[in-house]
């Protein structure tokens, strides 16, 4: 069977519009398509491929576990899941872990835990969830409603209730909404899909304080920011503010689907036997790969390397901007970098992405005005250099068009 991009339109539900090319293999931060055209990967599968493509540690773990045992279900536990959970607990605020298969599922578990805790401890009136405009938490009906883009949750009938949205980085807007009826406040400790927006110190510390004053739980959605992305193991560690519940996914599996919800023993006890679950969550194959990814990322060398690469990305983008005057802001933390287009190019982030892809470099957008870079955390310096040279050509093509 010849597989072409046209087949997508024939056989796939039309909820995506993928690029015209089909990648067939990758190694490190380089990817090749069906025509054997090479790309530098600054997208990392949307902040997932934290060690690039086919990293030997991950391939090794996958092969080794693939020949042992793939799946059991939660009727039995397994060694990789327990090892990974132990490592997550040992290196974070958390004491307990729940495994899921995706970011949305990890967040779904976090929200259900919060609601259950509030019901058990405080009673039926404490159900309000506060989240933030432009926030993104996944596409299940609960998480997409908690997300701050109504366009994504509209059009599916009645939504899960008692969910309201404040303005990110605006403590007063949270103060207006929060009360003793608030069950949880959920946020990304740096907004990803919403345009790469880091929190101010005053905001994040204020959110924690308001949660404490109102007996509300603080949930950090670290699906995009976690597992080394910001140069910290988790972004909260760089903020000096601990959540009560944390969701991880994306980089956690380095490309293998897995999600995790982390919390304290005190809260975890409210998810009693039978209250929540997943057939695949904590699957040995996923956990074995995630364990290898975690071991590799959670080293001083890799985490320091992220900060080093952040500076190179930002400097390169600033140099391109000096020449072409396209960005009004270059921001982000670690290898979650955003370049916001200036007024002349408003709404054209996708055009830059396409122009860059034509030149052989993969990037992402975060909304209509921000070009996003989420490469491998260990991308070789030479690939950054080459990728940025290609990106610059894409920019030049747009500016000179
Ligand atoms: C990607 C993302 C999600 C959703 O993760 P899925 O694995 O697609 O369900 C949730 N929250 C944040 C912050 C994300 O970036």
């Amino acid at each position: 069977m010849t597989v072409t991009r046209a087949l997508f339109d024939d056989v796939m539900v039309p909820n995506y519009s993928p690029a015209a090319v089909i990648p067939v293999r990758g190694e490190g931060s380089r990817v090749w398509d069906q025509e054997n055209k090479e790309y530098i990967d600054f997208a990392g599968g949307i902040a997932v491929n934290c060690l690039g493509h086919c990293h030997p540690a991950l391939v090794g773990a996958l092969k080794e576990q693939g020949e042992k045992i793939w799946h059991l279900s939660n009727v039995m536990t397994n060694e990789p899941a327990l090892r990974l959970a132990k490592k997550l607990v040992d290196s974070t605020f958390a004491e307990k872990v729940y495994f899921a298969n995706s970011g949305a599922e990890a967040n779904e578990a976090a929200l259900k835990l919060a609601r259950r805790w509030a019901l058990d401890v405080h009673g039926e009136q404490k159900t309000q969830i506060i989240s933030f405009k432009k926030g993104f938490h996944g596409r299940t009906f609960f998480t997409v409603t908690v997300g701050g883009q109504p366009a994504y949750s509209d059009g599916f009938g009645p939504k899960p209730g008692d969910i309201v949205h404040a303005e990110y980085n605006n403590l007063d807007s949270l103060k207006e909404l929060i009360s003793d009826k608030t069950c949880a406040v959920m946020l990304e400790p740096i907004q990803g899909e919403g345009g790469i927006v880091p929190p101010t110190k005053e905001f994040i510390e204020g959110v924690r304080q308001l949660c404490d004053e109102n007996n509300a739980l603080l949930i950090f959605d670290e699906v995009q920011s976690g597992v080394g992305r910001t140069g910290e193991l988790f972004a909260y560690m760089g903020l000096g503010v601990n959540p009560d519940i944390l969701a991880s996914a994306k980089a956690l599996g380095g490309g293998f689907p897995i999600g995790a919800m982390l919390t304290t023993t005190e809260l975890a006890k409210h998810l009693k036997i039978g209250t929540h679950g997943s057939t695949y969550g904590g699957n040995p194959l996923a956990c074995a790969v995630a364990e290898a990814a975690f071991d590799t990322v959670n080293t001083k060398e890799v985490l320091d390397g992220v900060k080093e690469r952040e500076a190179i990305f930002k400097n390169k983008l600033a140099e391109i901007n000096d020449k072409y005057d396209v960005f009004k802001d270059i921001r982000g933390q670690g290898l979650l970098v955003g370049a916001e287009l200036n007024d002349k190019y408003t709404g054209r982030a996708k055009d830059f992405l396409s122009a860059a892809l034509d030149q052989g470099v993969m990037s992402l957008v975060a909304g209509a005005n921000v070009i996003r870079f989420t490469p491998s955390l260990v991308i070789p310096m030479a690939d950054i250099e080459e990728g940025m040279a290609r990106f610059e050509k894409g920019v030049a093509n747009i500016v000179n068009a």
Side-chain angles (χ1 to χ4, degrees):
M1 182 171 39
T2 41
V3 177
T4 63
R5 171 62 179 77
L7 190 57
F8 180 94
D9 298 327
D10 280 348
V11 299
M12 301 291 271
V13 167
N15 61 316
Y16 303 121
S17 75
V21 297
I22 302 183
V24 291
R25 99 196 132 82
E27 193 186 326
S29 286
R30 303 210 177 205
V31 168
W32 291 267
D33 71 14
Q34 290 175 312
E35 257 57 273
N36 212 27
K37 176 175 167 180
E38 183 209 78
Y39 302 84
I40 305 278
D41 187 0
F42 285 171
I46 317 192
V48 166
N49 303 324
C50 57
L51 298 170
H53 298 269
C54 298
H55 188 282
L58 304 196
V59 173
L62 184 72
K63 282 186 174 162
E64 192 188 325
Q65 189 61 39
E67 289 172 353
K68 283 185 182 163
I69 195 159
W70 290 23
H71 179 75
L72 288 159
S73 92
N74 295 294
V75 173
M76 306 214 168
T77 189
N78 67 78
E79 291 181 357
L82 295 177
R83 281 199 306 265
L84 177 60
K86 175 79 172 114
K87 288 175 181 179
L88 286 167
V89 160
D90 284 349
S91 43
T92 65
F93 77 97
E95 298 156 328
K96 293 282 193 273
V97 178
Y98 166 83
F99 286 120
N101 310 293
S102 65
E105 284 183 35
N107 283 328
E108 183 85 17
L111 291 164
K112 284 179 74 177
L113 169 58
R115 281 275 179 85
R116 185 57 74 108
W117 161 83
L119 183 67
D120 286 351
V121 175
H122 296 280
E124 277 177 8
Q125 76 296 337
K126 198 174 175 71
T127 54
Q128 185 194 49
I129 310 275
I130 306 178
S131 53
F132 294 87
K133 289 177 186 158
K134 293 191 175 169
F136 183 77
H137 303 298
R139 297 289 200 142
T140 65
F141 209 9
F142 199 172
T143 58
V144 80
T145 307
V146 172
Q149 297 215 48
Y152 290 166
S153 55
D154 288 347
F156 299 102
K159 298 179 187 184
D162 211 7
I163 297 164
V164 293
H165 299 91
E167 299 269 345
Y168 201 78
N169 275 337
N170 179 340
L171 216 45
D172 287 336
S173 82
L174 177 60
K175 261 183 216 155
E176 273 170 32
L177 295 171
I178 201 166
S179 73
D180 60 3
K181 295 197 172 57
T182 306
C183 155
V185 174
M186 180 179 237
L187 61 79
E188 296 159 84
I190 168 168
Q191 283 193 330
E193 304 301 309
I196 319 296
V197 184
T200 64
K201 189 172 158 60
E202 180 205 8
F203 175 69
I204 203 77
E205 288 175 355
V207 171
R208 177 72 266 183
Q209 194 186 340
L210 285 171
C211 285
D212 292 343
E213 288 167 8
N214 291 280
N215 281 320
L217 300 180
L218 178 55
I219 305 172
F220 279 175
D221 176 352
E222 292 233 27
V223 169
Q224 188 152 172
S225 60
V227 193
R229 181 57 49 192
T230 64
E232 308 281 343
L233 182 60
F234 286 97
Y236 83 85
M237 295 169 176
L239 297 170
V241 169
N242 280 15
D244 301 296
I245 307 175
L246 181 149
S248 178
K250 290 202 166 107
L252 182 63
F256 202 100
I258 184 171
M261 178 195 71
L262 279 57
T263 189
T264 61
T265 302
E266 192 55 31
L267 289 172
K269 72 181 188 207
H270 295 279
L271 284 187
K272 293 187 189 75
I273 292 170
T275 49
H276 192 54
S278 158
T279 298
Y280 288 120
N283 164 302
L285 203 51
C287 290
V289 178
E291 186 193 3
F294 190 81
D295 286 344
T296 310
V297 170
N298 191 21
T299 60
K300 188 169 164 14
E301 189 195 346
V302 169
L303 296 174
D304 287 352
V306 169
K307 290 183 175 154
E308 206 183 317
R309 287 165 175 78
E310 169 186 358
I312 298 173
F313 263 87
K314 287 180 172 170
N315 288 339
K316 278 278 166 198
L317 288 167
E319 275 174 37
I320 291 171
N321 202 31
D322 285 344
K323 279 199 209 164
Y324 298 96
D325 190 23
V326 283
F327 306 131
K328 68 171 161 201
D329 195 20
I330 295 162
R331 58 176 180 258
Q333 284 166 359
L335 288 171
L336 182 49
V337 173
E340 182 171 5
L341 295 169
N342 64 23
D343 295 346
K344 193 167 168 203
Y345 298 97
T346 289
R348 295 192 58 194
K350 268 231 163 82
D351 295 343
F352 281 81
L353 181 148
S354 305
L357 191 68
D358 287 344
Q359 297 305 317
V361 59
M362 296 155 67
S363 58
L364 297 168
V365 302
N369 292 326
V370 177
I371 304 160
R372 173 172 38 159
F373 303 91
T374 56
S376 158
L377 306 181
V378 296
I379 182 171
M381 301 305 178
D383 289 2
I384 302 179
E385 188 82 25
E386 174 63 20
M388 276 296 167
R390 295 180 190 183
F391 183 76
E392 181 174 338
K393 284 187 197 152
V395 170
N397 282 347
I398 290 202
V399 170
N400 300 328

